[in-house]
Amino acid sequence: MTGTFAEYRELSITDPLRQGDVLEAVDPSRSKWQRHLLVLTADCDFAYDKHQGRVTCVPVLAATEYLLEMQVPRLREKSLAKILRTLRAELTGVGANISDERLRAWPCEVEPAKIITSIGLDGPAAETVGASLRAIRLLSQPTTSLGEAVDQIVTAQLVMSDARTRDAVIRQTVSQLRGPYSQPPGDTLFLSAIARNHDIGYFVYLRHLEQVWQPEIAIGPARRAVSYRRISRLQDRYIHSIVQRFALVFLSIGLPKEYEEMRDLHAELLEETFR
């Protein structure tokens, strides 16, 4: 990427660890949930050591990882729901009463052609049901990259209908994946870059928490063994936006009276233990 815009700023080794710092795992084989972390522990907790050495963080996922993990399943389920409606309409017409759960599992166990034969279908109905079963079978295959996942969803739609071109289906699918960039869910925020040479696009994900022992974080060159090194700090406006979103995600939710009664009972039992 080119240009002078960045959501982060670089730091010197004299800058203490603070909220909004971006950490990178020393071990590049760490999972996507631990590879890059954003510190959420408040500055006052650092200043007065209220965090007791435990640094609370949320993961920063590469955009492709986030889309594959959080958005592709939604698109896949949307496609499957549409296919199942088509399949249900055809099977109801011939008196076949099969649950949606079974319709999703069956083509993964048996070839679609054998299923059509066992049901006794022929003609246009057999063609429609066969296409639906092949699409379900395709969408049930695991994928390991965003490219594979998009190709899978696109191909499944084309199996169901030849009325649209592949390019048109790709454009429609990708347009749905673009949504979280401009209108992210309340539990995420997009960042174009998180440090120098880290500008492939990222999503901060707020529903997954990680804790790192502070002595395992290096804020500058270190000879001792560490698990993470600090690579940048977000600009204030992005830190504030993320903290605000985090608070909204975990706003207090009212709990039932029965819960409060049980909670008080456990507190009383604790007290009786030490009498």
PDB file of all heavy atoms in Angstrom, residues 145-162:
ATOM      1  N   SER A 145      -9.038 -21.590   2.483  1.00  0.00           N
ATOM      2  CA  SER A 145      -8.680 -20.221   2.129  1.00  0.00           C
ATOM      3  C   SER A 145      -9.919 -19.487   1.659  1.00  0.00           C
ATOM      4  O   SER A 145     -10.928 -20.108   1.272  1.00  0.00           O
ATOM      5  CB  SER A 145      -7.616 -20.190   1.027  1.00  0.00           C
ATOM      6  OG  SER A 145      -8.176 -20.613  -0.215  1.00  0.00           O
ATOM      7  N   LEU A 146      -9.853 -18.164   1.686  1.00  0.00           N
ATOM      8  CA  LEU A 146     -10.993 -17.361   1.238  1.00  0.00           C
ATOM      9  C   LEU A 146     -11.260 -17.599  -0.240  1.00  0.00           C
ATOM     10  O   LEU A 146     -12.419 -17.677  -0.659  1.00  0.00           O
ATOM     11  CB  LEU A 146     -10.720 -15.876   1.502  1.00  0.00           C
ATOM     12  CG  LEU A 146     -11.858 -14.919   1.138  1.00  0.00           C
ATOM     13  CD1 LEU A 146     -13.106 -15.218   1.960  1.00  0.00           C
ATOM     14  CD2 LEU A 146     -11.417 -13.472   1.350  1.00  0.00           C
ATOM     15  N   GLY A 147     -10.207 -17.734  -1.039  1.00  0.00           N
ATOM     16  CA  GLY A 147     -10.383 -17.977  -2.463  1.00  0.00           C
ATOM     17  C   GLY A 147     -11.140 -19.270  -2.722  1.00  0.00           C
ATOM     18  O   GLY A 147     -12.051 -19.311  -3.555  1.00  0.00           O
ATOM     19  N   GLU A 148     -10.764 -20.342  -1.993  1.00  0.00           N
ATOM     20  CA  GLU A 148     -11.457 -21.623  -2.145  1.00  0.00           C
ATOM     21  C   GLU A 148     -12.915 -21.498  -1.743  1.00  0.00           C
ATOM     22  O   GLU A 148     -13.805 -22.054  -2.403  1.00  0.00           O
ATOM     23  CB  GLU A 148     -10.788 -22.689  -1.279  1.00  0.00           C
ATOM     24  CG  GLU A 148      -9.454 -23.192  -1.807  1.00  0.00           C
ATOM     25  CD  GLU A 148      -8.898 -24.295  -0.921  1.00  0.00           C
ATOM     26  OE1 GLU A 148      -9.629 -24.754  -0.011  1.00  0.00           O
ATOM     27  OE2 GLU A 148      -7.741 -24.690  -1.113  1.00  0.00           O
ATOM     28  N   ALA A 149     -13.169 -20.779  -0.661  1.00  0.00           N
ATOM     29  CA  ALA A 149     -14.533 -20.647  -0.156  1.00  0.00           C
ATOM     30  C   ALA A 149     -15.417 -19.883  -1.127  1.00  0.00           C
ATOM     31  O   ALA A 149     -16.567 -20.266  -1.374  1.00  0.00           O
ATOM     32  CB  ALA A 149     -14.518 -19.958   1.210  1.00  0.00           C
ATOM     33  N   VAL A 150     -14.897 -18.781  -1.670  1.00  0.00           N
ATOM     34  CA  VAL A 150     -15.677 -18.004  -2.635  1.00  0.00           C
ATOM     35  C   VAL A 150     -15.953 -18.848  -3.878  1.00  0.00           C
ATOM     36  O   VAL A 150     -17.081 -18.861  -4.399  1.00  0.00           O
ATOM     37  CB  VAL A 150     -14.944 -16.699  -3.005  1.00  0.00           C
ATOM     38  CG1 VAL A 150     -15.620 -16.012  -4.196  1.00  0.00           C
ATOM     39  CG2 VAL A 150     -14.901 -15.759  -1.803  1.00  0.00           C
ATOM     40  N   ASP A 151     -14.953 -19.556  -4.363  1.00  0.00           N
ATOM     41  CA  ASP A 151     -15.139 -20.403  -5.538  1.00  0.00           C
ATOM     42  C   ASP A 151     -16.185 -21.480  -5.265  1.00  0.00           C
ATOM     43  O   ASP A 151     -17.004 -21.798  -6.149  1.00  0.00           O
ATOM     44  CB  ASP A 151     -13.811 -21.051  -5.918  1.00  0.00           C
ATOM     45  CG  ASP A 151     -13.925 -21.889  -7.183  1.00  0.00           C
ATOM     46  OD1 ASP A 151     -14.095 -21.296  -8.264  1.00  0.00           O
ATOM     47  OD2 ASP A 151     -13.860 -23.124  -7.083  1.00  0.00           O
ATOM     48  N   GLN A 152     -16.190 -22.018  -4.067  1.00  0.00           N
ATOM     49  CA  GLN A 152     -17.165 -23.048  -3.696  1.00  0.00           C
ATOM     50  C   GLN A 152     -18.584 -22.496  -3.733  1.00  0.00           C
ATOM     51  O   GLN A 152     -19.499 -23.109  -4.301  1.00  0.00           O
ATOM     52  CB  GLN A 152     -16.843 -23.566  -2.292  1.00  0.00           C
ATOM     53  CG  GLN A 152     -17.776 -24.648  -1.779  1.00  0.00           C
ATOM     54  CD  GLN A 152     -17.566 -24.900  -0.303  1.00  0.00           C
ATOM     55  OE1 GLN A 152     -17.979 -24.102   0.542  1.00  0.00           O
ATOM     56  NE2 GLN A 152     -16.914 -26.014   0.017  1.00  0.00           N
ATOM     57  N   ILE A 153     -18.784 -21.320  -3.136  1.00  0.00           N
ATOM     58  CA  ILE A 153     -20.118 -20.720  -3.089  1.00  0.00           C
ATOM     59  C   ILE A 153     -20.591 -20.341  -4.485  1.00  0.00           C
ATOM     60  O   ILE A 153     -21.753 -20.562  -4.857  1.00  0.00           O
ATOM     61  CB  ILE A 153     -20.107 -19.488  -2.162  1.00  0.00           C
ATOM     62  CG1 ILE A 153     -19.876 -19.931  -0.710  1.00  0.00           C
ATOM     63  CG2 ILE A 153     -21.413 -18.707  -2.273  1.00  0.00           C
ATOM     64  CD1 ILE A 153     -19.604 -18.796   0.249  1.00  0.00           C
ATOM     65  N   VAL A 154     -19.699 -19.801  -5.290  1.00  0.00           N
ATOM     66  CA  VAL A 154     -20.040 -19.403  -6.655  1.00  0.00           C
ATOM     67  C   VAL A 154     -20.399 -20.626  -7.496  1.00  0.00           C
ATOM     68  O   VAL A 154     -21.417 -20.643  -8.199  1.00  0.00           O
ATOM     69  CB  VAL A 154     -18.876 -18.628  -7.296  1.00  0.00           C
ATOM     70  CG1 VAL A 154     -19.103 -18.443  -8.799  1.00  0.00           C
ATOM     71  CG2 VAL A 154     -18.713 -17.266  -6.618  1.00  0.00           C
ATOM     72  N   THR A 155     -19.580 -21.654  -7.421  1.00  0.00           N
ATOM     73  CA  THR A 155     -19.820 -22.861  -8.213  1.00  0.00           C
ATOM     74  C   THR A 155     -21.136 -23.522  -7.824  1.00  0.00           C
ATOM     75  O   THR A 155     -21.889 -24.000  -8.688  1.00  0.00           O
ATOM     76  CB  THR A 155     -18.664 -23.861  -8.042  1.00  0.00           C
ATOM     77  OG1 THR A 155     -17.438 -23.237  -8.416  1.00  0.00           O
ATOM     78  CG2 THR A 155     -18.876 -25.093  -8.908  1.00  0.00           C
ATOM     79  N   ALA A 156     -21.455 -23.534  -6.527  1.00  0.00           N
ATOM     80  CA  ALA A 156     -22.717 -24.125  -6.072  1.00  0.00           C
ATOM     81  C   ALA A 156     -23.911 -23.384  -6.659  1.00  0.00           C
ATOM     82  O   ALA A 156     -24.908 -23.997  -7.055  1.00  0.00           O
ATOM     83  CB  ALA A 156     -22.774 -24.117  -4.550  1.00  0.00           C
ATOM     84  N   GLN A 157     -23.818 -22.059  -6.723  1.00  0.00           N
ATOM     85  CA  GLN A 157     -24.914 -21.283  -7.312  1.00  0.00           C
ATOM     86  C   GLN A 157     -25.047 -21.565  -8.805  1.00  0.00           C
ATOM     87  O   GLN A 157     -26.155 -21.631  -9.337  1.00  0.00           O
ATOM     88  CB  GLN A 157     -24.688 -19.792  -7.071  1.00  0.00           C
ATOM     89  CG  GLN A 157     -24.776 -19.393  -5.609  1.00  0.00           C
ATOM     90  CD  GLN A 157     -24.585 -17.905  -5.405  1.00  0.00           C
ATOM     91  OE1 GLN A 157     -25.373 -17.094  -5.883  1.00  0.00           O
ATOM     92  NE2 GLN A 157     -23.519 -17.539  -4.705  1.00  0.00           N
ATOM     93  N   LEU A 158     -23.931 -21.733  -9.485  1.00  0.00           N
ATOM     94  CA  LEU A 158     -23.968 -22.017 -10.923  1.00  0.00           C
ATOM     95  C   LEU A 158     -24.494 -23.428 -11.203  1.00  0.00           C
ATOM     96  O   LEU A 158     -25.123 -23.664 -12.238  1.00  0.00           O
ATOM     97  CB  LEU A 158     -22.575 -21.845 -11.519  1.00  0.00           C
ATOM     98  CG  LEU A 158     -22.050 -20.404 -11.536  1.00  0.00           C
ATOM     99  CD1 LEU A 158     -20.600 -20.374 -12.004  1.00  0.00           C
ATOM    100  CD2 LEU A 158     -22.915 -19.523 -12.426  1.00  0.00           C
ATOM    101  N   VAL A 159     -24.242 -24.360 -10.285  1.00  0.00           N
ATOM    102  CA  VAL A 159     -24.785 -25.707 -10.430  1.00  0.00           C
ATOM    103  C   VAL A 159     -26.307 -25.657 -10.416  1.00  0.00           C
ATOM    104  O   VAL A 159     -26.987 -26.386 -11.149  1.00  0.00           O
ATOM    105  CB  VAL A 159     -24.263 -26.631  -9.309  1.00  0.00           C
ATOM    106  CG1 VAL A 159     -25.069 -27.927  -9.242  1.00  0.00           C
ATOM    107  CG2 VAL A 159     -22.795 -26.937  -9.515  1.00  0.00           C
ATOM    108  N   MET A 160     -26.850 -24.763  -9.608  1.00  0.00           N
ATOM    109  CA  MET A 160     -28.302 -24.654  -9.466  1.00  0.00           C
ATOM    110  C   MET A 160     -28.956 -23.954 -10.648  1.00  0.00           C
ATOM    111  O   MET A 160     -30.126 -24.175 -10.941  1.00  0.00           O
ATOM    112  CB  MET A 160     -28.630 -23.899  -8.177  1.00  0.00           C
ATOM    113  CG  MET A 160     -28.303 -24.662  -6.911  1.00  0.00           C
ATOM    114  SD  MET A 160     -29.326 -26.129  -6.717  1.00  0.00           S
ATOM    115  CE  MET A 160     -30.949 -25.385  -6.570  1.00  0.00           C
ATOM    116  N   SER A 161     -28.225 -23.067 -11.329  1.00  0.00           N
ATOM    117  CA  SER A 161     -28.831 -22.306 -12.412  1.00  0.00           C
ATOM    118  C   SER A 161     -27.765 -21.864 -13.398  1.00  0.00           C
ATOM    119  O   SER A 161     -26.678 -21.442 -13.010  1.00  0.00           O
ATOM    120  CB  SER A 161     -29.559 -21.075 -11.851  1.00  0.00           C
ATOM    121  OG  SER A 161     -30.002 -20.234 -12.885  1.00  0.00           O
ATOM    122  N   ASP A 162     -28.099 -21.940 -14.680  1.00  0.00           N
ATOM    123  CA  ASP A 162     -27.179 -21.463 -15.720  1.00  0.00           C
ATOM    124  C   ASP A 162     -27.655 -20.139 -16.300  1.00  0.00           C
ATOM    125  O   ASP A 162     -27.242 -19.726 -17.375  1.00  0.00           O
ATOM    126  CB  ASP A 162     -27.026 -22.511 -16.835  1.00  0.00           C
ATOM    127  CG  ASP A 162     -28.365 -22.862 -17.484  1.00  0.00           C
ATOM    128  OD1 ASP A 162     -29.396 -22.272 -17.088  1.00  0.00           O
ATOM    129  OD2 ASP A 162     -28.376 -23.730 -18.372  1.00  0.00           O
TER     130      ASP A 162
END
